[in-house]
Amino acid sequence: MPKTNRDKELDKMYRDLLETRDSMRSANKSDGNRLLTFFIGLLMLGGGLFMIFQNISVSSSWGYGGHFFSIGGFHLSNGLIMLPIIVGIGMLFLMDKKIFGWIVLSIGIVIVLLSVMLTTHLSWRTTSAYVFIIMFGMTAAGGALVLKELFRKD
C-alpha cells in the first residue's frame, strides 16, 4: 500500500520527536556532568585553600615593648589607645545626644583593630615541595573548574 502525504508527514514528525528526545537525554547528561564538575572544583578549591592556610603561622607583636607606634621621640603606648573606647563608653552614659559617644567609641574600636592588624606577622611554615605543589595545584585546578562551569556559554 503506497504511503500518502499524510503518512510521510507523520513519519517525519515521529523522527523529529525521536531526535528531540535523544538530544534532551544528552543535554540532561551534560547538565549532570556540569554540576558534578562544579562541585568537584569547589571541593578541590576548598581543600587547597585549607591546606595553604594550615601552613601559615600568625603571630603578633602587640603588647611587646608596650608601644604601638612612635613619632619622633613620642611613644604612644598600647594602654593609651584604649582611651577613646573608655571615653566613648562614658559619653554614652553621660550625654543626652548619644551619637557623639557612638562616634568616639567607634573610632576607639577602629584604632584598636588597626593596632592589632598592623602588628600581626604572617610566616610560611617549612613544607616539602610535594605538599607545596599539591596545595597550589589543587587550588588552581579547583578554581579553574569552578570558573569554567560558572562562565560556560551554552
Side-chain angles (χ1 to χ4, degrees):
M1 187 172 190
K3 286 191 173 183
T4 63
N5 281 342
R6 186 175 216 143
D7 290 336
K8 290 178 183 175
E9 286 179 29
L10 284 173
D11 285 341
K12 184 179 182 309
M13 287 173 60
Y14 180 69
R15 282 193 306 272
D16 289 343
L17 183 63
L18 289 177
E19 286 176 13
T20 304
R21 182 191 67 185
D22 292 339
S23 67
M24 291 294 283
R25 282 185 181 167
S26 65
N28 286 341
K29 284 183 182 177
S30 71
D31 284 347
N33 289 341
R34 289 180 63 187
L35 190 61
L36 181 65
T37 303
F38 176 78
F39 281 116
I40 288 174
L42 204 58
L43 285 173
M44 288 175 65
L45 178 65
L49 288 175
F50 176 77
M51 289 176 69
I52 289 171
F53 288 137
Q54 286 292 313
N55 283 301
I56 295 176
S57 294
V58 180
S59 63
S60 176
S61 61
W62 195 81
Y64 298 119
H67 300 295
F68 168 55
F69 67 88
S70 62
I71 300 173
F74 177 72
H75 299 287
L76 184 61
S77 68
N78 289 333
L80 193 57
I81 65 171
M82 299 298 279
L83 191 62
I85 292 178
I86 295 168
V87 170
I89 291 171
M91 289 173 71
L92 285 175
F93 285 100
L94 294 175
M95 297 179 72
D96 289 335
K97 292 194 175 205
K98 305 240 185 256
I99 187 72
F100 298 116
W102 284 112
I103 290 172
V104 172
L105 180 64
S106 299
I107 289 171
I109 290 171
V110 167
I111 289 171
V112 169
L113 290 175
L114 281 175
S115 70
V116 171
M117 289 172 56
L118 290 173
T119 58
T120 300
H121 305 285
L122 302 176
S123 60
W124 185 257
R125 292 183 188 159
T126 303
T127 185
S128 67
Y130 175 75
V131 173
F132 186 83
I133 290 170
I134 294 292
M135 287 186 296
F136 286 99
M138 278 180 55
T139 304
L145 286 174
V146 168
L147 289 174
K148 176 181 141 187
E149 293 304 325
L150 282 177
F151 297 110
R152 179 177 286 211
K153 294 179 181 170
D154 284 336

